[in-house]
Amino acid sequence: EGVKMEIRALTFQQPYASALVYGGMDIINRKFQPGATTPLPFWLAIHTGKSKRKLKERKTLGIDKLWKESTGTKMPPDPVLMKTAGHIIGCVRVVSTRDWREEESPWAMNARCAHAPKGDSYCWQIDGVIKLKEPISCNGQLRLWKVPKYAADAIFPQLGGTVNPLSKKRRKSEFIGKVKTEAGVGGDSKIKAEPNVKVEKI
């Protein structure tokens, strides 16, 4: 009997899905916390939604500028971003959450967005990202959802690739290396360093 491996996902409209995986975004802005069924830290699959409604925020909220400041590169044009619509494009490691009022990251939207909720709203802090070599087609859902088995089976082999750390000040423990996929992803899952894995530091 094989080991049961599960991974949770969130669907993001562009440009935010790509910003999390490719653009140096180190915060997930949400009106809810992960909950008891998803203990911290955990790996979260990033799914790209099909709506184009938020693409305008690359200009109105300065996402283009934040991307450039975080990576030193320009954000791709809208048609390129939308090529991955309806796909899981990567995974991020969520390590903690805090009230948006306490968050210092420039990616914390509530501090800069007039229409963002000012009540119970949280910043999920992430300290690493894995870019999938091949995006995986999958239907998204609202809130946290469990990746279906066929998609999870395609994701886990790719989790042995390079882990790109984000903010140095948030990297409080060594986690860079090859994912120990036999233990699954989520809860107390750890990263096992492997000598044959290239690690990119920033």
Side-chain angles (χ1 to χ4, degrees), residues 16-33:
Y16 298 103
S18 288
L20 282 164
V21 177
Y22 308 111
M25 185 175 181
D26 60 354
I27 288 295
I28 293 174
N29 299 280
R30 279 294 180 270
K31 290 191 289 185
F32 61 91
Q33 299 201 59

Side-chain angles (χ1 to χ4, degrees), residues 14 48-52 55 77-86:
Q14 291 287 34
T48 303
K50 297 181 180 180
S51 172
K52 299 179 181 180
L55 285 172
D78 292 350
V80 175
L81 293 179
M82 294 308 298
K83 282 183 177 180
T84 58

Side-chain angles (χ1 to χ4, degrees), residues 16-96:
Y16 298 103
S18 288
L20 282 164
V21 177
Y22 308 111
M25 185 175 181
D26 60 354
I27 288 295
I28 293 174
N29 299 280
R30 279 294 180 270
K31 290 191 289 185
F32 61 91
Q33 299 201 59
T37 58
T38 313
L40 298 166
F42 66 96
W43 285 91
L44 177 73
I46 304 302
H47 178 264
T48 303
K50 297 181 180 180
S51 172
K52 299 179 181 180
R53 183 172 59 90
K54 288 186 177 290
L55 285 172
K56 62 184 179 182
E57 294 182 3
R58 63 184 296 164
K59 300 295 184 184
T60 59
L61 294 183
I63 307 304
D64 272 319
K65 181 180 179 182
L66 286 173
W67 183 301
K68 181 68 177 295
E69 291 175 348
S70 299
T71 67
T73 62
K74 290 183 178 181
M75 182 187 292
D78 292 350
V80 175
L81 293 179
M82 294 308 298
K83 282 183 177 180
T84 58
H87 289 73
I88 293 172
I89 60 174
C91 297
V92 299
R93 185 174 185 259
V94 181
V95 293
S96 64

